[in-house]
Amino acid sequence: MDGNVPLTQQTQQPSQEMADLPLSQETFHALWATLQNDVTSGSILQDPVQVNLQNYDFGTNVIQENQVEFQVEQIQMEPHIPNLSIIPSMPSLPSMPSLPNMNSEGSFLDQLNSALPPQAGTDQTPGHNMPSSTGYASATEPATSPPPSFSPPPNNQQLPSNVEYPGDYAFEINLGQPTSQAAKSVSWTYSPTLKKLFVDRDKPCPIQFKTTSAPPPNCFIRVLPIFKQAENLAEVVSRCPNHVGSPQDYSKDHLVLCSDPATMYYTDLQSARHSLVVPYTVPQVGTEFSKYLFTFKCFISCVGGLNRRKIQLVFTLENETGSILGRQVLDVRVCACPGRDRKTEEKSFEKSKAPQKKPLKRGPSKVTSVVGLTSFSKKAKKDEETFLIEVQGREKYELLMKIKESLDLMDCVAPNQISQYRQQQAQQQMRLNNHLPNGVPNLPRVSSFQSTPPPSTSQGNTFHPTLALNSTPPLNHAPSLNHSSPPLLNHSHSYQQQQTLQQPFTNLEPYPPSTSTSLERRNTMPCKDEADGPNMMEVDAIPTSQGFPVTRDLTLPNPCHTQNISPSQDPSIDCFLKRLGLRQHSDIFTQKNVHTVDQLEEINMEDLSSIPHQQREILWKAILELKGGLQLNHTPTMNRGNSSASTTSIHSSGGSMVGNQVYRATRFTLKQTLSFKVEKEDDDYKDDDDK
Amino acid sequence: MDGNVPLTQQTQQPSQEMADLPLSQETFHALWATLQNDVTSGSILQDPVQVNLQNYDFGTNVIQENQVEFQVEQIQMEPHIPNLSIIPSMPSLPSMPSLPNMNSEGSFLDQLNSALPPQAGTDQTPGHNMPSSTGYASATEPATSPPPSFSPPPNNQQLPSNVEYPGDYAFEINLGQPTSQAAKSVSWTYSPTLKKLFVDRDKPCPIQFKTTSAPPPNCFIRVLPIFKQAENLAEVVSRCPNHVGSPQDYSKDHLVLCSDPATMYYTDLQSARHSLVVPYTVPQVGTEFSKYLFTFKCFISCVGGLNRRKIQLVFTLENETGSILGRQVLDVRVCACPGRDRKTEEKSFEKSKAPQKKPLKRGPSKVTSVVGLTSFSKKAKKDEETFLIEVQGREKYELLMKIKESLDLMDCVAPNQISQYRQQQAQQQMRLNNHLPNGVPNLPRVSSFQSTPPPSTSQGNTFHPTLALNSTPPLNHAPSLNHSSPPLLNHSHSYQQQQTLQQPFTNLEPYPPSTSTSLERRNTMPCKDEADGPNMMEVDAIPTSQGFPVTRDLTLPNPCHTQNISPSQDPSIDCFLKRLGLRQHSDIFTQKNVHTVDQLEEINMEDLSSIPHQQREILWKAILELKGGLQLNHTPTMNRGNSSASTTSIHSSGGSMVGNQVYRATRFTLKQTLSFKVEKEDDDYKDDDDK
DNA sequence: CAGGCATGCCTG
DNA sequence: CAGGCATGCCTG
Ligand SMILES: [Zn+2]
Ligand SMILES: [Zn+2]
């Protein structure tokens, strides 16, 4: 096992209580509530914490390690201030007393409570304990930072959860009538034994969903692919260079597509993870399930992509504010011969659970569950000087005017409107082009909300016809993933500007667009806790581990950086390396917990010592370019602190802060890692002979 | 055989005279001389033509087809003129009387002679018969067009030659002491039986060169990878998306790299082919060969790249003006297990030539040899209106000023200086970064010639210390490939601007930079025919089929289009498709002889009917974008005529001609195709069992 | 649609 | 470094 994650080791006995370990729904709930609190008042978590790890087949393996970490960090960034003020509230917790006595967590978190300084900014209303109704408003996941005291950085990623959780509505997935076997190259086949879907690349595959009772209106299903093996879990699942979509395409990096015309594709600004969201419609009368067609754009074997690593799909049923009502996980193998491979895997699975317990190869050896929350706030300043440019030649003039126009317009428009506009444009375009798989008729189902540059076009939201006026605008609160990445550092803006934005619903006329932050917005419509629509009750106790709202305020209108970065670029290290043709070396970054380009400050020359000379030069140059300001003068660069707070500083080259904004972010991370000895157990392809 | 090339069929008997077929060196010579003539005076080829096809193992296969085509086309494009005036000089020659009586070609070409109208433009000096001294000056390969009368378009690509030609200096390659076999995964091994190199990806592989007599000074070796199979020959060999280099890297698409620090990497503007050029140094005293280390950046199996298609390297020894002094061809297989694969191929090769002649699989079924020449001319106009732009905010101002500055500077600077500047910058940067394979010390060996934007930096040309003052400036005359592509149509400029430029020598102080075309330049320094340096004699009879000079004048300073196109983009359809993730459909384009984006006008909706709906939409949209002007207004678009001249028109959307230039191009193509029934003969991997 | 190859890569 | 698997794809 080549886990890239530095971890302290703790040995423990084999455990059948696995299914009842830390980071359960209660954890989410408690954390959520408490963190809300904290963001606004400095108080912290008192409730006991439990974790519920499912979906990993531990077999009879021996636990080798069981570690829990908790961290609270606060970052504040302002223009023209030469140093990032990182306020480590609680340095970190290297390891917890071994589980399952996770109730001790309560007292631990109590300690944290006192360690956390009162929030400096006060533009937030006091917190409350209703995760569903308040979560979206104050808890987002953008701003994260390296842990202030560790070095090398600990594994503090906000990893996606793969914990199955049917929830109050008994959310379930289904793959139709089980078949006992299938032709070698059927387009897809599901193995009930393995609980695994085998599907050909780019072939539509129906997946069905149901809930026992009707969930609140305007729910949607999010589909997020993750790597199954713990050592890859931190890596974003995205398409290989060979199968990436066209640059204009918001789903260009998405492994999974859905044929539903109302599908929205997201790329999380922080984690860079690619997920899709599709409105959940209750089953037609007489049918038990709601069916959706999905396609997968890469083989699991794709070089420079999945690269023969197992993946899972995480399906979350989320309400309109992004709270998670249920979660299901499905193992998937995208391959050219689903039938053959299913047979092979089932065969080897039979063998593996046969009495003699003969050793098999490569199994998942580590399981990590992480919950994290980050709150975030931001203000904008202005740049109002006037200049004149004299231009020779009409062509240049028109070109420049075009650029100027767009710059001006971007300034005029609320950042989230810009974001929204972009996302809408792109997705509308996609629809117009009938670009969705399986040729499902592409109705313009998303209403237009663009009071900005291009004139508003379509209307008619069939997606959320019942959107209640008293529900909070989810504009800034699309659920997304817990995957860490520093918030607003360095050149990340330019990327973020171009990224897909988190915003599943666009028909939000009840609420005017706003440039305020999520926290600020709470002042406008505070304490909806007790009145969050008809689904208040259900929503109350719902965890949001995977569904942290994200403020699109991160999308800054400052165009300075876009100059050097193509719209197709992705903030993930993966994509960064891809562009350099150095994908092979992603380990180096993963090891340092560097997952997006704005974390590149973490990387120094020595980290690259393991790679060949020439490649190192290329890489280092590219890193420097991203670190140290690109072509433009006055491009402020902020350095990301190393693991130690003392190294944190700003590389501002005399310029103003990007976008002239003030940012404050507080992040909380709770992580548990279980490590266990693998008895060589895995579905494997080799042992057919001795069957 | 799935030859994409529409061809008329002609059956012929098996032939052992293969080695003496059309398109020999004499052909080149004769063509060259005659075409020179034609460009300037309208006269055409009288000499008999012979062709010498080597390097294809025909075995005892039956020739099914033997076709020769000859075409002359002239294109003229001017701003504000609504129609491309295509002057078909000679409609085309569907098929020639069957060979080997190729001497009849003489009379055929005589007919052509009278068919060719006198040249409209007269800014060329009279032609002469010295290919080496005049070739670079008037014959270039930029301007090509679809044949005016055919439909569907015939295979009129300017394909690279793979004809072995030791030449007057007996140019030879060598791979060191032959080994009888090698370990499974040696980094490289050469099979003398197969005359084939097996090499691991990214591993240095020494290849040696020699000549019996010393070639003229300042010679260089060009290395160009091509596909071996005729059906792929038209496709540019480049790296797969997974192995492309970083965008700044001029060699990012080059399959082959050379560790020599003086290596220059080219991407032909017209053909989009990627080659490298390295100075040829005579062997050290006491050694027989000059050794160079090469690396290969893709496996032949790379998906979206070589894709399991056989390749060859074409090594040409070229003099300083780009004339070809010798050519050698080497089969190469880049694979993970060179030893294993060599063994396998040798085994199956033995079998294949065993008496019983058991059928083997997939062999090369068609061989195509093409010679082509295009002359090209261009003039620039001006755009001098003055405008004022008022800008709010310093950031935007500075951003815009930066852009304006660069636009202005581009206008001030001669296009070839810009080009040169860019190429130099990039390659210098590469050296500085010690970016070359194998860590060979990176001396700045290319002198700086940048009288333009960035101040001149390095000096000291160790590359061409003996560059004679009376040699013609090769600035515009780097040898390149005969691969067709339309000249100055549509949005190709924006791509070209960003493309690697053809210019192997940069120490050219004797000649001031010039914006004039190659033809115009001849007026400035006319008739160097008889005085082209010390190597006049040798150079005289040398063919230039692969070494057609290219005018970098193609690189227009007009920045209008760069806006939407990232610098890393490549004009080839391959890359275009790659970006869209639709590489699978390259056939469609190959079939229509569309190889670069500026030929996209050739493609219409129906052509895409074979591909899946969604992909079609993506593709079509992308094509339309490239065809029809991007985001900017006043972006003139010129349509490429379909195979029929009557469909040729300009889609100018009321704008001025791109760059306000007038273009005139004349192209000549002579092509022979041999088609033969394959007795299932090929090196194959399957038959090990029955050994 | 099944058989089986081709070929990068993993494991001993 | 050799054995051998994994897996897309080609051929009947
Ligand atoms: Zn892929
Ligand atoms: Zn490759």
Side-chain angles (χ1 to χ4, degrees):
Chain A
M1 56 171 149
D2 57 17
N4 295 322
V5 208
L7 288 161
T8 53
Q9 295 274 326
Q10 268 184 252
T11 309
Q12 221 199 10
Q13 282 315 299
S15 160
Q16 291 304 333
E17 309 112 31
M18 279 295 176
D20 235 81
L21 278 176
L23 305 190
S24 68
Q25 303 314 318
E26 278 70 21
T27 316
F28 300 146
H29 182 186
L31 259 179
W32 181 263
T34 314
L35 296 179
Q36 290 313 120
N37 231 27
D38 170 68
V39 166
T40 51
S41 69
S43 74
I44 212 166
L45 192 62
Q46 273 90 11
D47 307 40
V49 176
Q50 280 195 340
V51 158
N52 181 28
L53 274 183
Q54 298 175 357
N55 215 261
Y56 291 101
D57 182 6
F58 293 98
T60 54
N61 296 313
V62 179
I63 303 294
Q64 296 195 299
E65 174 189 354
N66 190 346
Q67 181 188 5
V68 177
E69 292 174 14
F70 190 88
Q71 285 174 240
V72 183
E73 301 150 36
Q74 192 176 57
I75 296 179
Q76 181 169 319
M77 297 181 338
E78 284 179 61
H80 306 107
I81 292 176
N83 274 287
L84 267 186
S85 77
I86 290 196
I87 307 153
S89 318
M90 173 67 194
S92 86
L93 185 71
S95 82
M96 271 292 284
S98 43
L99 301 185
N101 60 332
M102 269 304 280
N103 286 356
S104 67
E105 183 106 333
S107 54
F108 158 62
L109 292 166
D110 282 333
Q111 296 165 25
L112 278 183
N113 197 2
S114 52
L116 189 84
Q119 190 82 357
T122 49
D123 53 352
Q124 304 110 350
T125 58
H128 28 59
N129 286 322
M130 299 314 215
S132 67
S133 56
T134 67
Y136 65 82
S138 63
T140 65
E141 63 161 315
T144 63
S145 83
S149 62
F150 273 12
S151 150
N155 179 17
N156 63 351
Q157 308 308 134
Q158 296 181 340
L159 294 169
S161 170
N162 61 349
V163 177
E164 278 185 7
Y165 166 67
D168 294 342
Y169 303 97
F171 177 59
E172 233 177 73
I173 58 174
N174 174 286
L175 283 123
Q177 286 311 307
T179 55
S180 64
Q181 64 158 340
K184 188 185 173 189
S185 300
V186 271
S187 60
W188 66 274
T189 180
Y190 178 72
S191 164
T193 1
L194 302 167
K195 294 185 74 202
K196 184 167 185 176
L197 171 66
F198 297 80
V199 59
D200 199 355
R201 198 188 84 85
D202 229 350
K203 301 279 165 57
C205 174
I207 301 181
Q208 310 183 104
F209 304 91
K210 78 163 177 184
T211 51
T212 44
S213 54
N218 306 327
C219 275
F220 54 87
I221 292 169
R222 178 180 300 273
V223 185
L224 171 84
I226 59 171
F227 286 108
K228 188 175 188 182
Q229 252 87 76
E231 56 268 39
N232 304 314
L233 195 51
E235 192 175 319
V236 170
V237 171
S238 64
R239 296 194 208 171
C240 76
N242 197 224
H243 291 129
V244 284
S246 47
Q248 327 87 44
D249 192 349
Y250 273 64
S251 64
K252 72 185 166 57
D253 288 313
H254 289 66
L255 173 68
V256 192
L257 302 185
C258 178
S259 72
D260 191 299
T263 307
M264 305 282 264
Y265 296 93
Y266 297 106
T267 297
D268 185 273
L269 289 178
Q270 291 331 114
S271 68
R273 286 189 189 266
H274 312 293
S275 63
L276 69 81
V277 148
V278 60
Y280 175 69
T281 47
V282 289
Q284 306 288 322
V285 274
T287 56
E288 192 183 359
F289 295 100
S290 301
K291 186 190 286 185
Y292 297 81
L293 290 177
F294 296 94
T295 48
F296 301 85
K297 305 302 285 183
C298 268
F299 292 115
I300 34 88
S301 64
C302 270
V303 178
L306 275 6
N307 213 235
R308 277 167 286 110
R309 293 171 295 178
K310 295 188 166 135
I311 56 161
Q312 300 181 310
L313 295 190
V314 180
F315 297 91
T316 44
L317 177 66
E318 307 183 8
N319 69 10
E320 68 191 9
T321 66
S323 297
I324 292 182
L325 312 183
R327 184 189 297 108
Q328 288 296 336
V329 179
L330 178 66
D331 283 20
V332 176
R333 175 185 169 88
V334 192
C335 55
C337 305
R340 169 186 70 180
D341 293 353
R342 174 187 169 184
K343 194 156 79 180
T344 322
E345 286 200 14
E346 283 180 345
K347 213 182 285 181
S348 80
F349 176 71
E350 285 312 312
K351 239 176 308 171
S352 77
K353 64 177 191 182
Q356 65 274 24
K357 267 264 168 257
K358 59 171 311 202
L360 295 180
K361 298 132 226 153
R362 288 160 280 174
S365 53
K366 206 181 286 180
V367 164
T368 303
S369 265
V370 179
V371 210
L373 283 177
T374 308
S375 75
F376 172 67
S377 106
K378 189 206 75 190
K379 296 161 203 169
K381 293 181 181 176
K382 281 207 154 186
D383 176 14
E384 297 274 281
E385 284 176 273
T386 299
F387 301 85
L388 279 184
I389 298 177
E390 187 176 319
V391 190
Q392 300 288 327
R394 172 167 292 280
E395 271 189 34
K396 272 185 292 187
Y397 169 70
E398 282 172 353
L399 169 61
L400 288 171
M401 282 309 285
K402 199 86 191 175
I403 299 171
K404 174 184 137 44
E405 185 189 341
S406 56
L407 296 178
D408 288 344
L409 285 168
M410 281 186 77
D411 270 3
C412 299
V413 172
N416 35 16
Q417 268 182 291
I418 298 173
S419 311
Q420 186 180 355
Y421 159 73
R422 287 191 189 129
Q423 179 144 2
Q424 239 170 263
Q425 282 293 300
Q427 302 214 359
Q428 252 171 36
Q429 199 58 47
M430 244 166 61
R431 290 205 175 77
L432 286 173
N433 291 337
N434 200 3
H435 172 190
L436 288 163
N438 307 310
V440 175
N442 294 321
L443 310 167
R445 300 178 79 177
V446 182
S447 73
S448 171
F449 188 56
Q450 32 196 10
S451 51
T452 48
S456 148
T457 50
S458 72
Q459 281 297 338
N461 178 314
T462 62
F463 183 9
H464 296 295
T466 64
L467 185 65
L469 280 186
N470 65 341
S471 71
T472 316
L475 253 178
N476 283 13
H477 315 300
S480 71
L481 260 224
N482 340 334
H483 187 271
S484 103
S485 150
L488 297 153
L489 299 157
N490 230 354
H491 298 282
S492 56
H493 307 303
S494 23
Y495 287 91
Q496 288 165 356
Q497 275 198 37
Q498 307 291 355
Q499 275 304 301
T500 304
L501 298 151
Q502 309 299 318
Q503 190 236 321
F505 310 124
T506 49
N507 186 9
L508 297 161
E509 288 80 358
Y511 299 93
S514 159
T515 54
S516 69
T517 71
S518 48
L519 290 171
E520 288 162 342
R521 183 174 293 108
R522 289 183 64 201
N523 292 327
T524 314
M525 13 166 190
C527 289
K528 306 192 76 65
D529 331 26
E530 309 301 322
D532 195 50
N535 49 313
M536 196 48 234
M537 289 292 291
E538 300 84 15
V539 158
D540 182 344
I542 279 154
T544 358
S545 80
Q546 198 180 126
F548 291 122
V550 150
T551 46
R552 270 171 311 99
D553 296 339
L554 277 177
T555 301
L556 305 177
N558 182 338
C560 270
H561 299 183
T562 25
Q563 213 42 23
N564 311 297
I565 291 149
S566 96
S568 63
Q569 290 189 342
D570 185 308
S572 74
I573 284 296
D574 252 21
C575 291
F576 168 70
L577 289 175
K578 259 188 234 170
R579 288 189 298 270
L580 295 173
L582 297 172
R583 201 78 189 293
Q584 321 91 59
H585 305 301
S586 62
D587 288 3
I588 291 164
F589 297 85
T590 322
Q591 258 157 36
K592 297 209 87 177
N593 287 318
V594 171
H595 297 272
T596 59
V597 288
D598 26 35
Q599 296 169 298
L600 279 175
E601 287 295 338
E602 294 285 311
I603 299 296
N604 49 44
M605 254 296 204
E606 297 92 77
D607 296 326
L608 309 180
S609 57
S610 66
I611 68 175
H613 183 65
Q614 320 96 40
Q615 301 185 2
R616 185 165 69 236
E617 294 296 336
I618 299 171
L619 226 191
W620 187 237
K621 188 186 160 204
I623 290 172
L624 285 180
E625 270 180 359
L626 283 171
K627 275 178 165 182
L630 299 169
Q631 293 155 9
L632 294 174
N633 307 332
H634 300 284
T635 298
T637 305
M638 236 176 287
N639 232 353
R640 178 144 201 261
N642 212 312
S643 309
S644 156
S646 63
T647 66
T648 304
S649 66
I650 289 186
H651 284 185
S652 180
S653 53
S656 61
M657 173 90 183
V658 178
N660 286 325
Q661 317 234 5
V662 183
Y663 301 100
R664 185 179 306 112
T666 310
R667 188 167 64 97
F668 308 90
T669 310
L670 175 59
K671 191 192 73 175
Q672 180 194 23
T673 299
L674 289 168
S675 203
F676 45 92
K677 208 167 204 154
V678 184
E679 295 286 327
K680 290 283 193 182
E681 172 175 84
D682 199 3
D683 9 58
D684 234 281
Y685 286 65
K686 282 192 181 179
D687 322 75
D688 297 30
D689 35 308
D690 56 13
K691 181 201 175 180
Chain B
M1 57 171 149
D2 58 15
N4 295 321
V5 208
L7 289 160
T8 52
Q9 294 274 327
Q10 267 184 252
T11 310
Q12 223 201 6
Q13 282 316 298
S15 161
Q16 291 304 332
E17 309 112 30
M18 278 294 176
D20 236 80
L21 277 174
L23 305 190
S24 69
Q25 302 315 318
E26 278 68 23
T27 316
F28 299 147
H29 182 187
L31 260 178
W32 181 263
T34 314
L35 296 178
Q36 289 315 119
N37 231 28
D38 170 69
V39 166
T40 51
S41 68
S43 73
I44 212 164
L45 194 61
Q46 272 91 10
D47 309 40
V49 177
Q50 280 195 341
V51 158
N52 181 27
L53 274 182
Q54 299 175 356
N55 216 261
Y56 293 101
D57 182 5
F58 293 98
T60 56
N61 297 313
V62 179
I63 304 292
Q64 296 195 298
E65 174 188 358
N66 189 348
Q67 180 189 6
V68 177
E69 293 174 13
F70 190 89
Q71 285 175 240
V72 183
E73 303 150 35
Q74 191 177 57
I75 297 178
Q76 180 169 319
M77 299 183 333
E78 283 180 61
H80 308 106
I81 292 176
N83 275 289
L84 269 185
S85 77
I86 289 198
I87 307 152
S89 317
M90 171 68 192
S92 87
L93 185 70
S95 83
M96 270 291 286
S98 44
L99 299 185
N101 61 332
M102 269 303 282
N103 285 355
S104 67
E105 184 106 333
S107 54
F108 157 61
L109 291 165
D110 281 333
Q111 298 164 25
L112 278 182
N113 198 3
S114 52
L116 190 85
Q119 190 81 359
T122 50
D123 53 352
Q124 304 110 351
T125 57
H128 29 62
N129 285 323
M130 301 310 215
S132 68
S133 56
T134 67
Y136 65 83
S138 64
T140 64
E141 62 162 316
T144 62
S145 83
S149 61
F150 274 12
S151 151
N155 180 17
N156 63 351
Q157 308 309 135
Q158 296 181 341
L159 295 170
S161 169
N162 59 349
V163 177
E164 278 185 8
Y165 165 67
D168 294 342
Y169 304 96
F171 178 58
E172 235 177 71
I173 58 174
N174 175 286
L175 283 123
Q177 286 310 307
T179 55
S180 64
Q181 64 156 339
K184 187 185 174 190
S185 299
V186 273
S187 58
W188 65 273
T189 179
Y190 178 73
S191 165
T193 1
L194 302 166
K195 293 184 76 204
K196 183 167 184 176
L197 171 67
F198 297 80
V199 59
D200 199 356
R201 197 188 83 86
D202 228 353
K203 301 278 165 59
C205 174
I207 302 181
Q208 309 182 105
F209 305 91
K210 77 163 178 187
T211 51
T212 46
S213 54
N218 307 328
C219 275
F220 54 86
I221 293 169
R222 178 180 300 273
V223 185
L224 172 84
I226 59 171
F227 286 107
K228 186 175 188 181
Q229 252 87 77
E231 56 267 39
N232 304 313
L233 195 51
E235 192 174 320
V236 170
V237 171
S238 64
R239 297 195 208 169
C240 75
N242 197 224
H243 290 129
V244 284
S246 47
Q248 327 87 45
D249 193 349
Y250 274 63
S251 64
K252 71 185 166 57
D253 289 313
H254 290 66
L255 173 67
V256 192
L257 302 185
C258 178
S259 74
D260 191 299
T263 308
M264 305 283 263
Y265 296 93
Y266 297 106
T267 296
D268 185 273
L269 290 177
Q270 290 332 115
S271 69
R273 286 190 191 265
H274 312 293
S275 64
L276 70 80
V277 147
V278 60
Y280 176 69
T281 47
V282 291
Q284 305 290 320
V285 274
T287 56
E288 193 183 358
F289 296 99
S290 302
K291 185 190 286 184
Y292 297 81
L293 290 177
F294 295 94
T295 48
F296 300 85
K297 305 300 285 182
C298 268
F299 292 114
I300 33 87
S301 63
C302 270
V303 178
L306 276 5
N307 214 237
R308 277 166 287 109
R309 293 172 296 180
K310 293 186 169 137
I311 57 161
Q312 300 181 311
L313 295 189
V314 180
F315 298 92
T316 44
L317 177 66
E318 308 184 7
N319 69 11
E320 68 192 8
T321 67
S323 296
I324 293 181
L325 311 183
R327 185 189 296 108
Q328 288 296 335
V329 180
L330 176 66
D331 283 20
V332 176
R333 174 185 171 89
V334 192
C335 55
C337 305
R340 169 185 70 180
D341 294 352
R342 175 186 169 186
K343 194 156 78 182
T344 321
E345 286 200 14
E346 284 180 346
K347 213 182 284 180
S348 80
F349 176 71
E350 286 311 312
K351 238 176 307 171
S352 77
K353 64 175 190 183
Q356 65 274 20
K357 267 262 168 258
K358 59 172 311 204
L360 295 180
K361 297 132 227 152
R362 287 159 281 175
S365 52
K366 203 180 288 178
V367 165
T368 304
S369 265
V370 180
V371 210
L373 283 177
T374 309
S375 75
F376 172 68
S377 108
K378 191 206 72 191
K379 296 162 203 168
K381 292 181 181 174
K382 280 208 156 186
D383 177 12
E384 295 276 280
E385 284 177 274
T386 298
F387 301 86
L388 278 184
I389 300 178
E390 186 177 319
V391 189
Q392 298 289 328
R394 173 167 292 279
E395 272 189 32
K396 271 185 294 187
Y397 170 70
E398 283 171 353
L399 170 62
L400 290 171
M401 282 308 286
K402 199 86 194 175
I403 299 171
K404 173 183 139 44
E405 185 189 341
S406 56
L407 296 178
D408 289 344
L409 285 169
M410 282 187 76
D411 270 5
C412 301
V413 172
N416 36 15
Q417 269 182 290
I418 299 173
S419 310
Q420 186 180 356
Y421 158 72
R422 285 190 191 130
Q423 180 144 1
Q424 239 169 264
Q425 282 293 300
Q427 302 215 358
Q428 252 171 35
Q429 199 58 47
M430 243 166 63
R431 290 207 174 75
L432 286 174
N433 291 336
N434 199 4
H435 171 188
L436 289 162
N438 307 308
V440 175
N442 294 321
L443 309 168
R445 300 177 80 177
V446 182
S447 73
S448 172
F449 187 55
Q450 30 196 12
S451 51
T452 49
S456 143
T457 50
S458 73
Q459 281 297 339
N461 178 315
T462 63
F463 185 9
H464 296 296
T466 65
L467 187 65
L469 279 185
N470 66 339
S471 71
T472 317
L475 254 179
N476 283 13
H477 317 299
S480 72
L481 260 226
N482 342 336
H483 185 272
S484 103
S485 149
L488 298 153
L489 299 156
N490 229 352
H491 299 281
S492 58
H493 307 304
S494 25
Y495 288 90
Q496 286 165 357
Q497 275 199 36
Q498 308 291 355
Q499 273 305 301
T500 303
L501 298 150
Q502 310 299 318
Q503 190 237 321
F505 311 124
T506 48
N507 188 9
L508 297 161
E509 287 79 359
Y511 298 93
S514 158
T515 55
S516 70
T517 71
S518 49
L519 290 171
E520 286 163 342
R521 183 174 292 108
R522 289 183 63 200
N523 293 330
T524 313
M525 13 167 191
C527 289
K528 306 193 78 63
D529 331 24
E530 310 301 323
D532 195 48
N535 50 310
M536 198 48 235
M537 288 292 292
E538 299 84 15
V539 159
D540 183 345
I542 279 155
T544 0
S545 80
Q546 198 179 125
F548 290 121
V550 150
T551 46
R552 271 171 311 98
D553 297 340
L554 276 176
T555 301
L556 305 178
N558 182 338
C560 270
H561 299 182
T562 26
Q563 213 42 23
N564 310 298
I565 290 150
S566 96
S568 63
Q569 289 189 342
D570 185 308
S572 73
I573 284 297
D574 252 21
C575 290
F576 167 70
L577 290 176
K578 260 187 234 170
R579 288 191 297 270
L580 295 173
L582 297 171
R583 200 78 190 292
Q584 323 90 60
H585 305 301
S586 61
D587 287 5
I588 292 164
F589 298 85
T590 321
Q591 257 159 35
K592 296 209 90 179
N593 287 318
V594 171
H595 297 273
T596 58
V597 288
D598 25 35
Q599 296 170 298
L600 279 174
E601 287 296 338
E602 295 285 311
I603 298 296
N604 49 44
M605 253 297 205
E606 298 91 75
D607 296 326
L608 309 181
S609 57
S610 66
I611 68 174
H613 183 65
Q614 320 96 40
Q615 301 184 2
R616 185 163 70 237
E617 295 295 336
I618 299 170
L619 228 189
W620 186 237
K621 188 186 160 204
I623 290 171
L624 285 180
E625 271 181 357
L626 283 171
K627 275 178 164 183
L630 300 169
Q631 294 154 7
L632 295 174
N633 307 332
H634 300 281
T635 298
T637 304
M638 234 175 290
N639 233 354
R640 180 146 199 261
N642 212 313
S643 310
S644 156
S646 64
T647 66
T648 303
S649 65
I650 289 187
H651 283 186
S652 181
S653 53
S656 60
M657 172 92 182
V658 177
N660 287 323
Q661 319 234 2
V662 182
Y663 303 99
R664 183 179 307 111
T666 311
R667 188 165 65 97
F668 309 89
T669 310
L670 173 60
K671 191 191 74 175
Q672 178 193 26
T673 297
L674 289 168
S675 203
F676 45 93
K677 207 166 205 154
V678 185
E679 296 284 327
K680 288 283 195 186
E681 171 176 86
D682 199 1
D683 9 59
D684 234 280
Y685 286 67
K686 280 191 182 181
D687 323 73
D688 297 32
D689 36 307
D690 56 12
K691 180 202 175 179

